[in-house]
Amino acid sequence: MSTLSDKLKVPGDFWGGLASTLVALPAAVAFGVTIYSAISPQYAVFGALAGILGATALGLIASTFGGTDRLISAPCAPAAAVLSAFAIELVNQGVAPASIVLMLTVLGILTGLIQILIGFLGVGRLIRYIPYTVVSGYLSGVGLIIIGSQIPRFVGTSANTAWWRAAVNPALWDTRSIAIGAATVLVALLAPKITKAIPSTILGITAGIIAYFVLANTDATMMTLTDNPLVLGSLGASSEGYIGTIIGRWYDIGELKLSQVAALFGSALTLAALLSIDTLKTCVVIDQMTRTRHDPNRELFAQGLANIASSAIGGIPGAGIMGPTMVNLSSGAQTRVSGIIEGLLVLIVALVLSNFIAWIPVATLAGILIVIGLRMIDTKPLNFLESRATVFDFAVVAVVIGFALTVGLIAASAAGVALSILLFLREQVGGSVIRHKTFVSQRSSTWYRPEAEMRLIAQKGDKAVIFELQGSLFFGTTYELYSVLEAEIKTRDYIILDLRRVLSVDITAAHMLNQVRDMMRDRGMPLLMSNVREHLPNGNNLLEFFKQTELIDATDAVRVFQTIESAIEWVEHKLIGDIELPVETEVALNLQEMNLFQGRKVETLTDLEARMEQRTVKAGDSIYSIGDQERELYLIRRGVVRILAPIGGSRQLHHIATFGRGDFFGGLAFLDDHARGDNAIAHTDIDLFVLPLEQFNQLAEDHKKLAFLLITAISRTLAHRLRHADGERTMLHV
């Protein structure tokens, strides 16, 4: 694996890191202020510092240990939503502010540890299977939570004021704050329509600061940092007290009881799940845009490590987030070094511009978060209301949003997944597991039989029914399938179940098939099954599963065939009375005994036989192969021949036909001037009559009538086979 220095792509990684810094830093400060302001307005400055430290640690560590190129990790909206709600809950319980800060630190560390555990256990690959409706509702729910949490700061009331109380009580509003916030929101929303060269977040913050100083010209109190509720105030990033605060916080953590830490586990699990989803969702988007593939478990390990480090130094946790990542990608970044550059630049910019950051209005940060919240709301599910087929999917989105706003984000995700599963089951139960129902009279095996036998099979073929099954055989579809099979058992002698398109089978379906087997056994007939695969798409072994459930045992109550054609072949033998003789007792036919020459004069056939070569081929040997140029017609005196050919452009050969005693093969290459398109293999020891084209041409000169009759018989048989094949193909496409 190449080192980071080997992979550095200048200047793309630098410009990508710089551009993403301009987006991630203001948002990180805003998220930090949101969380810590929930503790007390005086803690807003600590929140700004926590956001900066979080963006630095996440950028450096997640990019170093992660494997996804161009991914930018920083504090994010889900973290702000969960942590601010957690802080508000502790405030309502009367917990001291210093203790709340301590709990936030421990919560962040636990979150990182859980993410590392998730990555180590390989659970990361499962998160990608969360339904779109759940992700949509979750994002919209978080967006609404973010917007609601910023309304008090936007209108200039106390951060502890409920959003709905702040929204409906104009007496609490500060018109200066509203003007500053409105300028920020309007510019941030309209900027992308005017220019994309500068991130809208930067333009929105610039507009808010300009609005602040315009108003400050008429209000002298706005020109001071001390006791000014409209701005962040001094960060104190270089204060010696910061190191002492962190050391003291770690000392207090050491004094915590195990029960206190365990009480945080539920919130940590919630936050870890949300941050993991946010990260992997962004990674999937990167994969789609760059045609790469990320390692979800490695990425979760890196994110967990970064969140532990961030919380340990007083920062807030985060995830791989969409906004800065897209800016990083569009600015020319090529590798994960751009994420490390972003982390370094966040720290440098914060140190150099700490005095400037102190003058950022609180309403401006609230306005930026409101814009972020608005952009997180997914309006596409509204289109689901236009069709009855998708109205239930909209209901899932609505339930997730409702749970997110009233109960919690993890409960919202759980409710959404549960509803999605119910909708999936509903669709599965509503769809039929029977793809096709046909009869042996409508389909044939790969065995080409004489016309007399084909007529007999056509007459008796409705005694054998074929069911091609599809999808999942589980408790939701068992009753429907059993009802159909029960009715057929009363009127059919043979039932063939083809499982080639079956994706999974559960224990309930296996029990139902046991009942069907027993009913067939009571009639003295076996249940026939084909394509009982050992490797299903879900990785299960269906053949082994049927043995474990005792569906398949040592008796012949269930006969298993490799292909549907071999199952049909077995039924055909039964329908025509097993008239085929065992191979070892077969007697080689003469020409006059073959259906092709019945009714011809012996002397004429004697002349034809003299022009033929008699050939014996051992079982397993090749008679001809794909590409061979020999133009010969083969007539089977004794034995069985199988024809193998590629299907659908695949190089793999498939068994497509079987010819037995008295039949012929090789007719197409004999009639046209093309090379062989298939392989002919002796399935048993065989005796053949072989007629080369050169000998046939001489026969045509001496016995024109015999040659004409031979070609007519061959063409008639080939036409019959083609008509039968076309009929089957048409029937299968219905």
Side-chain angles (χ1 to χ4, degrees):
M1 184 173 62
S2 60
T3 62
L4 290 179
S5 59
D6 294 333
K7 296 182 70 178
L8 176 60
K9 306 292 184 181
V10 180
D13 283 329
F14 175 80
W15 291 118
L18 176 60
S20 57
T21 297
L22 298 178
V23 177
L25 177 57
V29 171
F31 290 136
V33 170
T34 296
I35 296 168
Y36 279 77
S37 294
I39 302 173
S40 172
Q42 290 75 24
Y43 275 77
V45 63
F46 294 106
L49 183 58
I52 294 170
L53 293 173
T56 301
L58 289 164
L60 292 174
I61 297 177
S63 299
T64 299
F65 293 95
T68 305
D69 290 332
R70 308 176 182 90
L71 178 67
I72 298 297
S73 298
C76 58
V82 173
L83 293 178
S84 59
F86 177 75
I88 291 173
E89 183 180 355
L90 293 182
V91 168
N92 293 335
Q93 294 175 3
V95 179
S99 297
I100 296 177
V101 173
L102 179 64
M103 292 294 103
L104 289 174
T105 301
V106 177
L107 181 56
I109 294 173
L110 282 178
T111 297
L113 289 173
I114 292 174
Q115 284 186 290
I116 291 176
L117 180 62
I118 291 174
F120 178 76
L121 295 177
V123 181
R125 299 184 185 277
L126 300 179
I127 295 178
R128 70 180 71 176
Y129 297 111
I130 293 179
Y132 164 74
T133 51
V134 177
V135 174
S136 174
Y138 152 71
L139 290 175
S140 298
V142 170
L144 291 172
I145 290 173
I146 292 295
I147 292 171
S149 67
Q150 297 311 304
I151 289 177
R153 297 179 185 85
F154 185 86
V155 299
T157 65
S158 170
N160 294 328
T161 306
W163 71 266
W164 55 268
R165 189 182 299 277
V168 300
N169 196 345
L172 301 176
W173 295 355
D174 187 326
T175 55
R176 299 170 300 174
S177 181
I178 294 175
I180 296 167
T184 302
V185 171
L186 288 174
V187 172
L189 288 176
L190 297 176
K193 299 180 180 179
I194 300 173
T195 178
K196 294 184 179 179
I198 303 175
S200 61
T201 302
I202 301 301
L203 293 177
I205 291 175
T206 302
I209 293 174
I210 292 173
Y212 178 87
F213 283 103
V214 168
L215 293 174
N217 286 330
T218 60
D219 188 345
T221 61
M222 296 175 64
M223 295 304 295
T224 62
L225 287 176
T226 305
D227 296 328
N228 186 348
L230 295 178
V231 295
L232 284 177
S234 177
L235 299 181
S238 60
S239 172
E240 296 179 358
Y242 166 73
I243 297 178
T245 300
I246 296 300
I247 294 176
R249 191 178 302 176
W250 273 99
Y251 175 81
D252 292 337
I253 289 175
E255 297 296 320
L256 286 176
K257 296 179 181 179
L258 186 60
S259 59
Q260 293 176 294
V261 176
L264 300 175
F265 183 78
S267 298
L269 183 62
T270 299
L271 187 56
L274 297 178
L275 296 184
S276 299
I277 293 171
D278 220 27
T279 297
L280 297 185
K281 176 170 61 68
T282 305
C283 290
V284 169
V285 173
I286 294 176
D287 289 347
Q288 293 173 347
M289 298 184 67
T290 62
R291 297 180 182 178
T292 57
R293 180 175 296 181
H294 71 283
D295 183 343
N297 295 316
R298 175 180 175 180
E299 202 58 57
L300 290 184
F301 174 84
Q303 294 290 327
L305 198 63
N307 282 329
I308 292 174
S310 174
S311 301
I313 63 173
I316 59 177
I321 51 178
M322 193 73 69
T325 297
M326 293 299 101
V327 171
N328 186 41
L329 183 63
S330 61
S331 299
Q334 297 293 317
T335 73
R336 52 198 169 101
V337 175
S338 57
I340 297 175
I341 293 174
E342 180 267 343
L344 289 171
L345 290 178
V346 165
L347 183 59
I348 293 172
V349 170
L351 292 174
V352 173
L353 301 178
S354 60
N355 292 331
F356 169 76
I357 294 174
W359 284 99
I360 296 178
V362 173
T364 290
L365 295 179
I368 290 297
L369 286 177
I370 288 174
V371 172
I372 292 174
L374 289 172
R375 289 173 177 167
M376 291 183 69
I377 297 175
D378 188 3
T379 59
K380 293 179 181 177
L382 292 175
N383 297 328
F384 295 166
L385 292 172
E386 298 176 1
S387 171
R388 293 182 60 183
T390 55
V391 68
F392 286 107
D393 296 290
F394 176 81
V396 173
V397 177
V399 167
V400 172
I401 294 174
F403 268 74
L405 296 178
T406 59
V407 181
L409 291 172
I410 199 69
S413 298
V417 170
L419 282 176
S420 297
I421 291 174
L422 289 176
L423 288 179
F424 171 77
L425 292 177
R426 174 177 170 269
E427 292 296 324
Q428 290 293 308
V429 172
S432 176
V433 294
I434 299 176
R435 183 174 184 268
H436 272 130
K437 173 189 173 183
T438 54
F439 298 97
V440 169
S441 58
Q442 297 172 303
R443 296 188 60 176
S444 63
S445 65
T446 56
W447 193 287
Y448 283 93
R449 300 181 181 277
E451 289 187 35
E453 293 182 9
M454 293 298 293
R455 285 194 296 270
L456 186 59
I457 291 172
Q459 293 172 3
K460 298 182 178 181
D462 60 352
K463 293 183 179 180
V465 62
I466 305 167
F467 288 102
E468 293 182 63
L469 306 182
Q470 64 183 357
S472 298
L473 306 185
F474 71 113
F475 61 88
T477 57
T478 296
Y479 179 77
E480 175 220 359
L481 180 58
Y482 178 77
S483 299
V484 174
L485 294 179
E486 184 183 29
E488 295 292 340
I489 290 172
K490 297 176 181 178
T491 57
R492 312 296 174 191
D493 290 338
Y494 304 99
I495 292 181
I496 302 175
L497 302 181
D498 182 47
L499 308 183
R500 183 163 66 94
R501 291 181 173 82
V502 169
L503 302 178
S504 63
V505 181
D506 73 355
I507 193 69
T508 304
H511 177 71
M512 179 272 295
L513 293 175
N514 272 295
Q515 292 179 288
V516 173
R517 176 204 62 191
D518 294 341
M519 294 171 67
M520 291 295 296
R521 182 163 51 189
D522 291 341
R523 296 197 61 201
M525 297 294 181
L527 174 64
L528 310 180
M529 303 177 74
S530 63
N531 288 296
V532 183
R533 293 169 292 167
E534 297 186 14
H535 301 286
L536 291 178
N538 60 8
N540 291 339
N541 185 328
L542 186 56
L543 181 62
E544 185 64 28
F545 176 72
F546 281 163
K547 290 179 180 179
Q548 290 175 352
T549 55
E550 300 181 349
L551 175 63
I552 298 175
D553 52 26
T555 68
D556 289 334
V558 174
R559 284 183 172 268
V560 178
F561 298 89
Q562 187 173 0
T563 65
I564 181 64
E565 289 80 13
S566 57
I568 296 173
E569 179 181 315
W570 185 89
V571 172
E572 288 176 347
H573 285 313
K574 292 296 181 180
L575 293 178
I576 62 178
D578 287 325
I579 61 174
E580 284 76 10
L581 297 173
V583 174
E584 59 272 12
T585 62
E586 277 189 344
V587 178
L589 297 175
N590 295 319
L591 279 183
Q592 60 267 27
E593 295 177 296
M594 294 184 176
N595 290 335
L596 202 60
F597 302 108
Q598 286 183 355
R600 306 301 169 201
K601 294 180 179 179
V602 174
E603 56 271 19
T604 302
L605 295 179
T606 300
D607 192 11
L608 174 61
E609 185 173 341
R611 299 177 186 274
M612 289 184 171
E613 173 190 345
Q614 295 189 26
R615 188 180 302 173
T616 298
V617 183
K618 294 295 183 182
D621 289 350
S622 174
I623 301 169
Y624 62 74
S625 301
I626 295 175
D628 287 353
Q629 298 293 332
E630 293 83 357
R631 299 178 67 184
E632 297 175 331
L633 181 70
Y634 303 89
L635 295 92
I636 303 174
R637 304 182 64 207
R638 179 179 69 90
V640 177
V641 174
R642 288 195 170 186
I643 307 299
L644 307 176
I647 297 177
S650 171
R651 294 184 178 181
Q652 182 178 358
L653 297 180
H654 298 267
H655 175 212
I656 64 169
T658 301
F659 297 99
R661 182 170 172 260
D663 215 330
F664 74 90
F665 62 97
L668 290 180
F670 184 78
L671 293 176
D672 62 24
D673 195 22
H674 291 80
R676 300 287 184 185
D678 49 35
N679 289 357
I681 306 295
H683 185 60
T684 65
D685 292 346
I686 59 173
D687 292 327
L688 299 170
F689 282 127
V690 182
L691 176 63
L693 181 63
E694 296 80 5
Q695 292 295 328
F696 172 78
N697 290 335
Q698 292 181 14
L699 176 70
E701 294 180 3
D702 299 337
H703 299 280
K704 292 182 173 58
K705 185 176 181 181
L706 177 60
F708 174 75
L709 292 174
L710 177 60
I711 289 296
T712 300
I714 294 172
S715 301
R716 181 172 178 272
T717 303
L718 291 177
H720 176 75
R721 293 173 182 173
L722 181 60
R723 182 185 297 276
H724 190 75
D726 283 344
E728 288 189 1
R729 185 183 62 177
T730 301
M731 181 270 301
L732 290 175
H733 280 79
V734 174

